[in-house]
Amino acid sequence: MKRTIMCGQLNSKNIGETVVIQGWVAKTRDLGGVIFIDVRDREGIVQAVANENLDKDSFKVAESLAREYVVQITGEVKPRSSETINKNIPTGEIEVIATNVVLLNKAETPPFEIEADIDTNEQVRLKYRYLDLRRPDMQKNIIMRHKIAKIARDYFDENGFLEIETPMLTKSTPEGARDYLVPSRVNPGHFYALPQSPQLYKQLLMLSGMDRYFQIVRCFRDEDLRADRQPEFTQMDLEMSFVDQDDVISINEGLIARVMKEVAGVEVKTPFVRMPYNVAMQKYGSDKPDTRFGMELVDTSDVFLGSGFKTFSDIVSKVGSSARAICVKGGVDKLSRRDLDALTDFVKIYGAKGMAWINVCEDELKSPIAKFLTKQETDALLSKTEAEVGDTILFVADKNKVVFDSLGALRCELATRLNLIDKSLYNFLWVVDFPLLEYDDTEKRYTAKHHPFTAPNDSDISLMETNPGEVRAKAYDIILNGNELGGGSLRIYNTELQEKMFKLLGFTTDEAWARFGFLMEAFKYGTPPHGGMAYGLDRFAMILAGADSIRDVIAFPKVQTASEVMSNAPNVVDIKQLEELHIKVVE
Amino acid sequence: MKRTIMCGQLNSKNIGETVVIQGWVAKTRDLGGVIFIDVRDREGIVQAVANENLDKDSFKVAESLAREYVVQITGEVKPRSSETINKNIPTGEIEVIATNVVLLNKAETPPFEIEADIDTNEQVRLKYRYLDLRRPDMQKNIIMRHKIAKIARDYFDENGFLEIETPMLTKSTPEGARDYLVPSRVNPGHFYALPQSPQLYKQLLMLSGMDRYFQIVRCFRDEDLRADRQPEFTQMDLEMSFVDQDDVISINEGLIARVMKEVAGVEVKTPFVRMPYNVAMQKYGSDKPDTRFGMELVDTSDVFLGSGFKTFSDIVSKVGSSARAICVKGGVDKLSRRDLDALTDFVKIYGAKGMAWINVCEDELKSPIAKFLTKQETDALLSKTEAEVGDTILFVADKNKVVFDSLGALRCELATRLNLIDKSLYNFLWVVDFPLLEYDDTEKRYTAKHHPFTAPNDSDISLMETNPGEVRAKAYDIILNGNELGGGSLRIYNTELQEKMFKLLGFTTDEAWARFGFLMEAFKYGTPPHGGMAYGLDRFAMILAGADSIRDVIAFPKVQTASEVMSNAPNVVDIKQLEELHIKVVE
């Protein structure tokens, strides 16, 4: 006997049919002579009914069932009586009157309920991941992730991209994040590195004339895990030849629109907003702005400059420092003194030494700093921040980086606390015109903001010698609701420009070749203009699934110690294995 | 200016259009005032023409071009004059009359020709893999591989399979092939293993109710590389719940038929032949028989038993040994004495001590062994092998394993030498009814032929106690033209049967749990009947591409020393990296 339909697919259209379902017992209720069995599979839950008068043997089996037993039930689909219809589930109008109940396998009592929204310690869920994945919300997430990948592959294929697999056992490069290493048995003392990204290989594939490449590919970074990072993660990776920035952006907008429509049922308008990096920083204090709400940053430096509020006026007199504000609508009522103290602690996480505030009340300004300011100055602050009666203005003054980081984070924190975010919005935007370089105060030299193969804007090439910090790059990040989904750039494909870039980074020609010689050598043989992009698939899936953690969209994730709780990986291995690899553990 | 069409897509339908093409210079011919430029991209090669009288600047650029320079050419598509039409290429009826030639990038002279069928050392090709991949035949292979994977994903998706990613950083298991290990920095002295296959995870996914899983996934084996093995290889992996062997076989036949039709343009008939393991061994001496030609093995043991040919009669009197033959049609003319000596050396590779032969000539049998045999015996040999005048019969007598291995290989060797194989055939078949166990002479115990979770045939379960060697498994391999494309099995899902299996393998209950406890624990919580399959994608792609090596269908393969010649991986790493991983190299 074979399954004829999935449990969750049954509905009133099947009334009158004899069906065979297979799945897990979610629940049984014994009403004496009649046993109701909720049977669950990937598609949903349906109610089966075993009636003592209908088939004694089946009834006996039904009596023996417990939660998570695996069963096969044959029966006729009948409408439920009107008072027992369950409108909450798609199968709620029908039930399967069992003529045959077969026990396929028994089950011990699971350590937690197999249902949505359980309140169970994540460690327990991860230890029994195979049961956690049996829960309907986890199944929904895994199905959605499959869909995203499938849609992406269809889209790229339709657009002439080839999915080409690149190696996992690669060469360790001496920069970037920490590599995972793999000792070679055949080459004693030598090591492979697991790839942090297929960057090098995909550029070589453009050189080899593959024209359009993509890959959904595992990448690895041995970093200390922050809350939502995984040592192994999945990248949606692409590269195109003979393109400019508009081409790459437009192909990716097409992908995103398709995914949003088919996975989330949302029509997003393309083209997306393109926001220069500088504007993103000035307005949102972030290169991944969440534009679902306002509360934009306002530069109030000129008001404080020379004012009686010495702390701020000293700061803003320095180059590269500023005093900026955000205006909280209705803050006077919404934010208590205690809240303001908490927010002050919050900005300190981002390096701010403190936070100033002004409550705009009916008759007066309530503020610890108002007494240091003239009427003209406070008027200017109100006007600049467009504050009205009832609003609260929050200020941070410091080096620009600290101001942006702290106010950028503060506005998101406030939006969450004050419930300002319309969760139905999907605000996609591109941040463009990133700086090519950033100055490293410790190393006293410029470093590449993205990587040393990122191309500068054509119009800024002349600045490379005169004012490198002002050179913008042909780099772009795609942002969704304040999350960076991915990023990319056009690459340098001209040897002279590449050498100029290395000079800017402080390399001699010899050093550049020692470090990047392998790619440089390849680039001599006819490199086409090319550029690309990479997405973090885990994060994209997390946002679309409305999950709180990327662990909820990964079948078998690792925890913060980079271990997998279920199988207990990594583990201690046999000494013989290590001997064969010519390594030993150092205590 | 953007590309309007790919070079290889141009044909007479485009006559009159102004097009922009971009690509690599394959060749130039300067006829004085007119320069012909062959431009190549992924889709093909087209001829462009720069005419001094038409545009002086473009002509100047054209004069400067050399092989592999990257160019953009704008021009009008015109028909070639009838005497210059090239019927060998799809674009051969037209040419692009250049009105604008732009040099996008220069190139040094490549170390080998960028064209099909070059006669270049593979090491050189691999060192400059980015140029090797620019050759049309390598591009064809990579495109075909992309297509196979795309069709498989479409097919699995349509059939309700979810592609679910399983971890790459997993736990080392103490059996099977050698693991690649990855030292953990966070857990000193602990190691991850790169997966040899996702077997464990896919079975857990069935337990978690995912119902149908597939994945195209990288796997790793640290083995000494035989000619056509890679340390990292790609597996097309699937698993299904609530199925029997027919279900798995039928879903896979659908996949293969689809791939064959869409990739190779070949209609294959399903269902495929299912050949029991025993029949495959008896007839073809192999569990992956090539049925494109005959020359089946014939058991001649009874003829030699008690005969005057002592060498053979002694052997066949032993249990588990036999004398078998193959009949080479027309062998008398086709095989010289020297050939017969060479074939004798050939079978020795497989452990045979020698090879006997009989040439069936018009009037007599020419053979070193004929004199030891009676007329009745030689008549019996001719009749059994259906040998006719002109044929040669080849014999090997030894333990069955040696006989099968040597004659199985010999018949394939002869088919190649004598050109007996119709290359247009795609003979798919299933080998089924594998033995569940094989007896290990060294360990003096049974071991699992596939793995310890493979289910026995229902009808053979009673034999597990009485005659374990005769128990057949629900295991199946898919064979194409003598190549094993993949294999799989139904799994044990019942704890008692699993314990019985472990007992057969010589484990105590404690040992079984120590070794497989993690999966055994999971299996207690309601395991559905399930089974699956895995294909070697590299080999499948190789056969369909008609390539000689799997290296020709892998973008960046490794050589026999498990190193990648282009990037020089693996390499020596910084001592600091090793310190962080708590390991050191042992000299």
Side-chain angles (χ1 to χ4, degrees), chain B residues 519-535:
Chain B
L519 192 62
M520 300 272 279
E521 165 74 13
F523 273 18
K524 292 192 296 187
Y525 292 99
T527 308
H530 62 289
M533 175 103 186
Y535 295 82

Side-chain angles (χ1 to χ4, degrees), chain B residues 278 433-437 446 457 460 463-464 466-473:
Chain B
N278 277 340
D433 289 338
F434 277 86
L436 181 68
L437 303 160
Y446 283 103
N457 276 5
D460 294 353
L463 289 173
M464 288 177 81
T466 56
N467 195 352
E470 292 296 305
V471 177
R472 291 163 301 171

Side-chain angles (χ1 to χ4, degrees), chain A residues 220-279:
Chain A
F220 304 84
R221 260 175 225 179
D222 185 10
E223 289 177 297
D224 294 311
L225 298 184
R226 279 191 268 144
D228 226 17
R229 287 277 180 92
Q230 288 280 316
E232 51 177 313
F233 55 97
T234 303
Q235 201 161 290
M236 222 153 57
D237 194 46
L238 63 115
E239 195 79 8
M240 305 164 75
S241 293
F242 303 110
V243 290
D244 60 23
Q245 180 166 308
D246 287 346
D247 297 321
V248 182
I249 282 183
S250 137
I251 205 93
N252 281 287
E253 287 178 346
L255 168 70
I256 290 168
R258 173 91 72 96
V259 169
M260 291 307 294
K261 189 170 173 191
E262 296 187 17
V263 172
V266 173
E267 299 267 0
V268 295
K269 251 197 230 147
T270 57
F272 302 152
V273 167
R274 293 192 202 176
M275 190 182 290
Y277 172 85
N278 277 339
V279 172

